[in-house]
Amino acid sequence: MKRLILDGPLIVGGGLAGLSAALECAPRKALLITPAPLLDACSSAWAQGGMAAALAEADSPALHAADTVAAGGGLVDSAAARALTDRGAETVAWLAGLGAPFDRDAHGRFAVSREAAHAVARVARVGGDGAGRAILSALVVAARAAEHLDIWEDARLLALIRADSDRVVGAVVERAGRRVEILAPAVVLATGGIGGLYAVTTTPVALKGEGLAIAQAAGADILDPEFVQFHPTALDIGRDPAPLATEALRGEGARLVDRDGGFLLGADAEADLAPRDQVARAVHRAVTEGRGAFLDTRRAIGDRVARDFPALFAAAMSAGIDPRVSPLPVAPAAHYHMGGIAADTDGRTSVAGLFAVGECAATGVHGANRLASNSLLEAAAFGRRAGRAAATEVAAANGPRLAPHIGAELTAAALAQLRQGMSRWAGVERDASGLGRLIDLIDRLDADAPGAPALAAARMVAEAALERRESRGGHARSDFPATNSEARHTRLTGASLPAIPKKTAA
């Protein structure tokens, strides 16, 4: 196997978190790897709503943090939330300085809109519903121009390398059909979420939680994997992935109705701006009860929808639906994973030398239910912190190492079965019977593809969901509808690794 030894960090993932970390490694040399060209196969580029930050005079980091805590179902780390919101305006300004074309008002200030569970308007947008791709495009340009950064756009993570029971010292990747062993003083995982484990998702289907599974196999702890956020308004037009109808539409007054025009969450003007978990359950029940669920933009937005929300308008029109004339059929879709690799606000995990940022990490800022548009802020703000921290790591990458464990590959047919099972039994509403069926399915698939990372990630979600006998945030159990008085986390400890034989060669 070919071996490459780096002087600086290895960053795995080319979304907003990975690029932010990579840029902040400077002047330390770094290598960023991604399995697809930059801007492809990452959720950051698909984000529509924007970036939450206290930018308006009526807002403050403290109020933003309070909204974050309130939305998180009792599991938000308040110190982490404040660490995030304190950096909101600074992060937006940093991105704007790199060329991110945030919308401005007539006075040149950042234009902000309101989304669900935010007390005030604080979401900085780009072109109405094109924030993610525009922001990421600016970072891609900066990364390609950065002299300290090398980029591989054709390399896939297979395993992490452990030097002993205490430290990650590199990774095994596949590039052009060949395996490469990369040794580095630090590895930063920015591998994204788990939406591709579900049959109905708004994220790239390539994101199957493999970073979580690979990190746990290397000894890293996993936090709260059962908490999956389902976006309530994915366009129900038979696409995979499902196009997203951004929450900003409801922020401007669009309403959720059934096929008879009845309000799904009540007639109050603020009803549709409840936290996402509540809205998703209302939409789910309307669909399963046969009443249908629709997003009606006609009165509140009208003809402006084509100009102000071009991505949504194009997706709807491509399916033969004109939102200026007809309500849009919607359904909940897997959208964001609140759980992930346990990490602090600098990205440090339970294993030395291993960092995690973005959606694959669980830093405590999202709790059981992520506040809308906090994800892009977390990716950039904590990504920058992780890059700076990883660049200080100087541990030698030589010495005895454990043989990395590389799991099997799932066939396309097996993955399709898994995705259907996850949507059916670990979706918006769950129960013990369905979760048991899902675990049985994972067992059967694992017999043919032992150690497949996607199966390991799915198992984390299913088993943790089965053990959490309550409903909280994004985790809803129809057989345990009440919320326990005590809010507790789920922590899955990393794999128990064997000792390195004394005679193992370096």
Side-chain angles (χ1 to χ4, degrees):
M1 185 186 307
K2 182 179 178 181
R3 177 182 296 177
L4 174 65
I5 300 178
L6 304 180
D7 292 328
L10 169 66
I11 295 98
V12 184
L16 182 57
L19 287 172
S20 297
L23 288 171
E24 290 296 293
C25 286
R28 192 87 181 270
K29 293 285 290 184
L31 171 64
L32 182 144
I33 67 168
T34 176
L38 296 177
L39 291 175
D40 290 353
C42 63
S43 293
S44 306
W46 294 19
Q48 290 187 3
M51 180 173 290
L55 298 166
E57 291 183 6
D59 202 1
S60 70
L63 181 57
H64 185 185
D67 287 349
T68 298
V69 171
L75 290 178
V76 171
D77 181 321
S78 58
R82 190 58 192 264
L84 179 69
T85 61
D86 280 349
R87 287 161 180 79
E90 166 196 325
T91 303
V92 172
W94 177 70
L95 291 166
L98 290 174
F102 288 101
D103 295 345
R104 306 274 183 159
D105 64 17
H107 303 286
R109 297 171 300 203
F110 293 111
V112 291
S113 61
R114 189 178 174 199
E115 293 187 357
H118 289 273
V120 297
R122 66 162 63 94
V123 180
R125 291 160 50 186
V126 179
D129 58 1
R133 192 168 190 85
I135 293 169
L136 198 62
S137 294
L139 265 71
V140 168
V141 171
R144 293 200 190 283
E147 293 184 358
H148 75 284
L149 188 59
D150 290 327
I151 303 172
W152 292 359
E153 298 175 69
D154 57 353
R156 184 169 67 96
L157 177 68
L158 298 180
L160 293 169
I161 302 171
R162 285 282 295 265
D164 51 37
S165 59
D166 299 317
R167 187 169 196 89
V168 163
V169 296
V172 177
V173 307
E174 184 177 67
R175 189 183 192 202
R178 300 179 62 186
R179 291 181 179 178
V180 181
E181 181 182 77
I182 303 174
L183 301 182
V187 177
V188 181
L189 295 183
T191 53
I194 65 169
L197 294 178
Y198 285 83
V200 184
T201 180
T202 63
T203 75
V205 296
L207 301 179
K208 303 185 290 291
E210 292 170 317
L212 273 69
I214 289 170
Q216 191 193 35
D221 289 355
I222 306 298
L223 191 70
D224 297 334
E226 66 271 36
F227 290 111
V228 181
Q229 185 169 79
F230 297 88
H231 199 291
T233 55
L235 292 185
D236 190 11
I237 55 176
R239 302 270 175 83
D240 182 24
L244 181 65
T246 175
E247 202 160 89
L249 292 155
R250 282 176 283 133
E252 295 206 10
R255 299 304 306 267
L256 284 164
V257 298
D258 61 21
R259 62 171 41 91
D260 295 323
F263 294 117
L264 297 190
L265 288 106
D268 186 88
E270 298 285 299
D272 291 353
L273 292 176
R276 279 184 176 170
D277 60 315
Q278 298 175 29
V279 181
R281 284 193 289 275
V283 172
H284 172 73
R285 287 166 185 163
V287 172
T288 56
E289 290 169 4
R291 295 186 289 124
F294 301 85
L295 184 66
D296 192 347
T297 69
R298 293 174 297 179
R299 178 172 298 181
I301 301 173
D303 291 344
R304 290 189 298 112
V305 68
R307 181 194 70 206
D308 293 351
F309 300 94
L312 174 280
F313 183 74
M317 293 295 285
S318 71
I321 305 169
D322 187 340
R324 298 168 298 186
V325 176
S326 304
L328 299 165
V330 294
H335 184 62
Y336 192 87
H337 193 205
M338 278 81 69
I341 304 162
D344 67 13
T345 56
D346 286 328
R348 297 186 188 275
T349 72
S350 59
V351 180
L354 180 65
F355 295 74
V357 290
E359 192 173 350
C360 74
T363 61
V365 298
H366 302 309
N369 182 48
R370 176 179 67 95
L371 184 67
S373 291
N374 267 357
S375 53
L376 289 183
L377 175 60
E378 184 198 25
F382 288 174
R384 296 180 73 194
R385 291 177 61 136
R388 292 193 289 265
T392 67
E393 296 287 327
V394 294
N398 55 3
R401 294 183 296 276
L402 286 168
H405 172 73
I406 300 174
E409 294 281 346
L410 275 182
T411 66
L415 178 60
Q417 290 184 61
L418 178 64
R419 295 182 72 197
Q420 290 292 334
M422 289 289 286
S423 281
R424 180 178 181 183
W425 293 314
V428 176
E429 290 189 300
R430 305 145 175 198
D431 61 29
S433 176
L435 290 166
R437 290 189 181 96
L438 176 57
I439 293 168
D440 288 344
L441 171 63
I442 293 169
D443 287 340
R444 293 195 301 273
L445 296 176
D446 190 66
D448 293 326
L455 292 176
R459 187 184 297 279
M460 293 180 204
V461 175
E463 292 185 348
L466 185 60
E467 288 300 311
R468 185 172 288 277
R469 296 177 177 87
E470 63 164 344
S471 292
R472 182 182 299 274
H475 169 75
R477 287 281 297 265
S478 59
D479 49 351
F480 290 98
T483 300
N484 294 341
S485 58
E486 179 184 1
R488 62 169 182 81
H489 290 284
T490 299
R491 182 175 284 268
L492 307 180
T493 57
S496 178
L497 301 176
I500 298 177
K502 292 182 179 180
K503 294 184 179 180
T504 298

